[in-house]
């Protein structure tokens, strides 16, 4: 079953469960894991640019599907707060501390959970730290680790580029940026994936991440280095221990998960289109144009958590009540027929996609991710002559959670 009856007498007044239609759609579960884009389009037809949905635990929320409505929510923090402490279902006890939504939606002492001056103070520390890190050889680290990963399978003539390459390369680069030992970074690959996947293991894996990063912060307090952890500890904004650890977590999870997903999708697009592949190998096409296309059609975060209505308001023809949760349909917004009536028309040169979010919380580390992807693709294509898919393109599959859709595998063959 993918739906919840709406005539629930215990549903709180004004929440999406009480909204007037026959049933609510779950953004999790079997159907959502295999056909999330089909669900977005069905919801758009049934409800318009904003739709009532259920998240894990049958927690009600509003999914924003329209491009312009997404922009309105993202660009107006006074109307749509990032502070989960005003979340009605949380305040009134309908969401427990053990909910798998908490690592993604709950309040934390980091910049994405704040608005106004607290947000500016913490965001400034993150931006300064990432700027310093990006000036210390991100592309050099990416080149080193890309070659190291390829060395492990270069003599085999075949590989799964998801399991052998895209899942690990961003994390390896991040270990250098954050100041983590490589072994810790490799342990965290699975934990980051589980937090996004949700389910029973999400909280346990989130705790593992927090423990490893708390230990990192203590080490860097005693032995500073030229890394992001030290930059946060020494920033004039005066972050306390919990703020430092929460921002290490934020950058680690967001940067690794989105970059690994995006890198896999870029390679999928390149390897299923001979013209793009030859264009990249010959230098007639650059990687950034392919990345841009993927950002529009399959952004690494399909749904972005979350915003909370700061007051009763109207959005997309629906009455949203104060404290209700909204989640941002970045993938659905990018395919909104009001702004892209023909999704087959080229978007090259158009950077107004929603993939990096928008407004005061727009992704501050997008240049780092872009560098990792550009290097990752370039090194791979030049190290592996004759690189090609090992299976028909229609056999490639993806598995989605509420928040993202990830490529399951990318089997390839190449000359040795």
């Amino acid at each position: 079953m993918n739906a919840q009856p709406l005539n629930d007498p215990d549903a709180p007044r004004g929440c999406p469960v009480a909204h007037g239609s026959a049933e609510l759609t779950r953004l999790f579960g079997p159907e959502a894991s295999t056909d999330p884009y089909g669900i977005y389009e069905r919801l758009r037809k049934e409800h318009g640019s904003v739709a009532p949905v259920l998240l894990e635990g049958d927690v009600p929320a509003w999914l924003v599907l329209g491009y312009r409505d997404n922009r309105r929510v993202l660009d107006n923090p006074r109307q749509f707060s990032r502070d989960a402490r005003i979340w009605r279902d949380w305040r009134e006890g309908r969401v427990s501390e053990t909910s798998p939504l908490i690592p993604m939606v709950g309040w934390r002492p980091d910049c994405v959970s704040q608005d106004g001056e607290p947000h500016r103070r913490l965001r400034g520390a993150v931006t300064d730290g990432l700027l310093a890190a990006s000036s210390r050889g991100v592309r050099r680290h990416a080149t080193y680790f890309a070659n190291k990963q390829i060395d492990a399978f270069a003599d085999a003539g075949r590989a799964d580029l998801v399991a052998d390459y895209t899942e690990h390369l961003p994390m390896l680069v991040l270990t250098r940026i954050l100041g983590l030992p490589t072994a810790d970074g490799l342990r965290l690959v699975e934990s980051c994936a589980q937090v996004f996947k949700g389910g029973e293991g999400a909280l346990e894996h989130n705790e593992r991440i927090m423990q490893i990063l708390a230990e990192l912060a203590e080490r860097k307090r005693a032995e500073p280095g030229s890394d992001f952890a030290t930059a946060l500890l020494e920033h004039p904004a005066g972050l306390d221990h919990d703020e430092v650890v929460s921002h290490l977590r934020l950058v680690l999870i967001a940067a690794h998960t989105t970059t690994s997903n995006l890198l896999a999708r870029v390679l999928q697009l390149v390897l299923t289109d001979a013209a793009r592949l030859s264009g990249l190998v010959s230098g007639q096409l650059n990687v950034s144009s392919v990345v841009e296309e993927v950002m529009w059609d399959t952004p690494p975060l399909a749904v972005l958590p979350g915003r909370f209505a700061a007051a009763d308001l109207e959005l997309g023809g629906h009455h949203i009540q104060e404290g209700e949760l909204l989640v941002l349909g970045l993938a659905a917004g990018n395919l909104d027929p009001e702004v892209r009536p023909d999704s087959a028309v080229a978007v090259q040169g158009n950077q107004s996609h929603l993939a990096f979010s928008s407004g005061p919380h727009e992704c501050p580390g997008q240049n780092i991710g872009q560098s990792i992807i550009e290097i990752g693709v370039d090194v791979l294509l030049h190290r592996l002559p004759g690189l090609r898919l090992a299976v028909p393109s229609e056999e490639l599959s993806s598995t989605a959670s509420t928040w993202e859709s990830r490529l399951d595998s990318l089997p390839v063959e190449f000359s040795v």
Side-chain angles (χ1 to χ4, degrees), residues 267-287:
L267 288 171
Q268 177 188 13
L269 186 58
V270 168
L271 291 170
T272 53
D273 187 303
R276 288 190 182 89
L277 179 59
S278 62
L280 288 174
V281 172
S282 66
Q284 295 176 310
L285 183 67
N286 59 46
V287 177

Side-chain angles (χ1 to χ4, degrees), residues 150-168:
I150 293 167
D151 286 343
F153 57 77
D155 293 335
R158 59 191 305 115
D160 173 3
L161 292 183
V162 170
D164 299 333
Y165 193 64
T166 67
E167 284 295 296
H168 296 287

Side-chain angles (χ1 to χ4, degrees), residues 13-14 54 60 69 77 89 109 148 177 215 219 221 270 286 289 338 354 369 372 389 413:
R13 183 181 68 84
L54 294 173
D69 292 292
D89 286 305
K148 192 172 178 63
I177 293 173
E215 293 168 357
R219 284 199 304 273
R221 197 179 298 278
V270 168
N286 59 46
S289 64
E338 288 195 7
L354 298 169
I372 294 171
L389 278 179
E413 299 172 335

Side-chain angles (χ1 to χ4, degrees), residues 248-259:
L248 290 171
R249 172 195 180 276
L250 171 66
V251 170
L252 178 87
I253 293 179
H256 166 69
T257 307
T258 57
T259 305

Side-chain angles (χ1 to χ4, degrees), residues 147-273:
N147 278 295
K148 192 172 178 63
Q149 287 297 107
I150 293 167
D151 286 343
F153 57 77
D155 293 335
R158 59 191 305 115
D160 173 3
L161 292 183
V162 170
D164 299 333
Y165 193 64
T166 67
E167 284 295 296
H168 296 287
L169 177 59
M171 182 62 80
L172 290 167
V173 178
L174 283 168
T175 60
R176 293 290 175 89
I177 293 173
L178 270 64
L180 272 170
T182 300
D184 280 350
L186 293 175
R187 287 172 58 204
L188 289 171
V189 169
E190 180 191 2
S191 291
C192 289
Q194 291 297 325
V195 167
F196 269 84
K197 185 181 293 184
E200 294 180 359
L203 285 170
E204 178 185 344
H205 282 280
N206 190 64
E207 286 303 313
R208 176 192 291 180
I209 292 169
M210 294 297 285
Q211 179 182 348
I212 289 175
L213 295 178
E215 293 168 357
L216 170 65
E218 289 302 319
R219 284 199 304 273
K220 291 300 175 178
R221 197 179 298 278
E223 300 177 7
S226 56
D227 50 62
F228 181 67
T230 301
L232 289 179
L233 288 163
E234 297 179 349
H235 196 274
L239 277 64
D240 64 27
H241 175 78
D242 289 343
E243 290 172 336
V244 169
V245 175
S246 289
H247 284 94
L248 290 171
R249 172 195 180 276
L250 171 66
V251 170
L252 178 87
I253 293 179
H256 166 69
T257 307
T258 57
T259 305
S260 62
N261 195 354
L262 185 57
L263 177 56
R265 292 296 185 185
V266 168
L267 288 171
Q268 177 188 13
L269 186 58
V270 168
L271 291 170
T272 53
D273 187 303

Side-chain angles (χ1 to χ4, degrees), residues 8 10-17 55-60 86-102 321-325:
D8 181 357
D10 298 321
R13 183 181 68 84
C15 92
V17 169
L55 307 181
E56 276 194 89
D58 283 347
V59 174
I86 71 169
W87 184 11
R88 175 182 291 181
D89 286 305
W90 167 259
R91 288 199 328 256
E92 297 180 359
R94 286 183 292 275
V95 180
S96 75
E97 293 184 4
T98 58
S99 166
L101 293 177
I102 294 302
Q321 292 202 354
E322 179 181 353
E324 289 182 351
L325 168 62

